[in-house]
């Protein structure tokens, strides 16, 4: 594909700097899941303090997901072009500012706006963080690093409800946002220690693609949230849905035209979708989020509202689900590095998540914590086994100059899945008596996970094509990294 004249990158002093890069990215990946899972525990107190309920209160979580998922693909691609460290720095600054504003918000709409700003920053941190690691580590070291990433995200998920529950009970919900803002400031400071990494060439920025994708995805997610409260045939649902469809169709056409003309690099190279292996890992990433986000988000509210538990106790209960996400990613990476097929681990993970959701249909008012242990541990084990290997496997299928795009795409899938799961799960729980609605929703999730497990397995089982056909379709094994890419095979 033709590009505009090359603009060589300038390395920062210190080269790739693998150790500080790993530490700063891991800190970001620790904080963002922690802020997500911890905020769900604080929702009842936030609603009481700001006299908020319903959609306005749920947007404290949904708005964060919507903003992050809409912008991660663009953030990842811009990192490839302008520098992944630069985008990471900008994201950390926005995240910190939004979280500080959240701590001081005096009205639910101001809090929602601040959380959206935090989500925009989170998009830069998550997309650039994964691409920086992919550009810095290769081979088995990359697998181990992404396993560490999964472990750290698991630690954030595990500690988020417990830490936030403790702070909410002891100091109030505003203290949780202040604590996340402090960590955001540490990440922002730490970016000064990192070396820069970007593509060897800088083609024209795909402004039309970025604008149509962000607007289209945001409107699509907004339409889903509107449908859950205003009705799926309401004009407030149909109008944004129609606009979203038109914008996303325009996005596809813009990307196809740009790829044909060679006058710049698309925000999303649509040839990735023709790679069965990359598509398989993307579907697996979607399934992990769809199978776990609903329980992680809404179970604390059920336990507090129906069982009368405290925020701290609800957070401790969720450790049953999140602790395996902390412990198992290194095991998954070790098995892959010793020859176990990664796609077999992913299949096992999705089937475990399906089984855990089905098992959780034993949920009832007054259910004791030991009765929740089996299903929550099963869901957590399914997520933990594969959360650290999906990105490493997918990143190995793209050229080094496009790891930001790939990372942004995978994180977009996760964010959009989170937003959709929160909306649909929440809407289903409002359709009937609460416990009965939980049972129906959990059975639906179990069936969906089984279907997605089979789909993923079929995609990843497709036989490899010849090298000539792979090159023609644009998804051959990536070439050796350019010397301008910040690369290291350092073992973490």
């Amino acid at each position: 594909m033709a590009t505009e004249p090359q603009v060589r990158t300038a390395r920062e002093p210190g080269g790739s700097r693998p150790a500080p890069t790993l530490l700063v990215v891991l800190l970001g990946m620790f904080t963002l899941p922690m802020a997500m899972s911890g905020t769900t525990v604080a929702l009842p107190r936030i609603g009481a303090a700001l006299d908020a309920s319903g959609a306005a209160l749920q947007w404290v979580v949904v708005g964060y997901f919507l903003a992050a998922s809409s912008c991660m693909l663009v953030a990842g691609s811009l990192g490839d072009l302008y520098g992944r460290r630069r985008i990471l720095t900008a994201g950390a600054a926005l995240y910190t500012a939004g979280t500080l504003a959240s701590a001081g918000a005096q009205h639910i709409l101001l809090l929602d706006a601040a959380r959206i700003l935090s989500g925009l920053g989170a998009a830069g941190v998550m997309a650039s963080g994964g691409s920086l690691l992919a550009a810095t580590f290769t081979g088995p070291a990359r697998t181990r690093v992404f396993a560490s990433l999964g472990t750290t995200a698991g630690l954030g998920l595990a500690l988020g409800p417990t830490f936030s529950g403790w702070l909410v009970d002891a100091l109030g919900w505003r203290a949780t946002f202040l604590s996340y803002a402090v960590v955001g400031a540490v990440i922002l400071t730490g970016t000064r220690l990192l070396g820069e990494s970007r593509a060897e060439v800088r083609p024209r920025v795909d402004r039309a693609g970025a604008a149509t994708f962000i607007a289209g995805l945001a409107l699509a997610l907004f339409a889903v949230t509107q449908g859950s409260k205003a009705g799926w045939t309401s004009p407030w649902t149909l109008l944004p849905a129609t606009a979203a469809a038109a914008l996303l169709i325009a996005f596809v056409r813009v990307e196809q035209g740009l790829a044909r003309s060679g006058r710049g690099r698309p925000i999303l190279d649509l040839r990735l979708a023709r790679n069965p292996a990359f598509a398989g890992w993307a579907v697996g990433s979607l399934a992990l989020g769809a199978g776990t986000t609903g329980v992680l988000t809404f179970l604390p509210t059920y336990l507090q509202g129906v069982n009368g538990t405290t925020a701290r106790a609800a957070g401790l209960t969720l450790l049953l689900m999140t602790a395996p996400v902390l412990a198992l990613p290194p095991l998954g990476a070790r098995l892959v590095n010793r020859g176990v097929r990664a796609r077999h681990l992913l299949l096992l993970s999705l089937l475990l998540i399906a089984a855990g959701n089905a098992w959780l249909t034993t949920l009832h008012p007054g259910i004791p914590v030991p009765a929740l242990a089996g299903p929550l541990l099963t869901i957590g084990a399914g997520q933990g086994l594969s959360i650290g290997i999906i990105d490493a496997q997918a990143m190995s299928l793209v050229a080094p100059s496009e790891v930001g795009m790939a990372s942004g795409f995978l994180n977009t899938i996760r964010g959009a899945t989170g937003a959709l799961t929160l909306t649909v799960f929440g809407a289903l729980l409002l359709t009937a008596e609460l416990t009965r609605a939980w049972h129906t929703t959990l059975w639906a999730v179990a069936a969906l996970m089984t279907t997605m497990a089979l789909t993923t397995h079929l995609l990843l089982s497709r036989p490899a094509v010849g090298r000539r056909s792979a090159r023609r379709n644009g998804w051959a094994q990536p070439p050796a990294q350019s010397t301008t890419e910040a690369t290291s095979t350092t073992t973490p």
Side-chain angles (χ1 to χ4, degrees), residues 221-237:
L221 296 176
F222 178 75
V224 173
T225 62
Q226 286 296 106
S228 66
K229 64 176 183 177
W232 299 105
T233 59
S234 166
W236 295 104
T237 303

Side-chain angles (χ1 to χ4, degrees), residues 271-296:
R271 292 175 299 179
L272 283 176
R274 295 200 295 267
N275 180 346
F278 190 88
W281 292 113
V283 172
S285 180
L286 187 155
L288 283 186
T292 59
T293 302
V295 173
L296 181 68

Side-chain angles (χ1 to χ4, degrees), residues 9-17 85-86 192-198:
T9 61
R11 278 194 179 184
E12 296 290 332
S16 62
R17 299 183 179 180
R85 188 192 73 166
R86 180 178 296 179
R192 297 175 62 87
L193 303 175
L194 309 186
E196 188 56 283
S197 166
R198 61 170 69 98

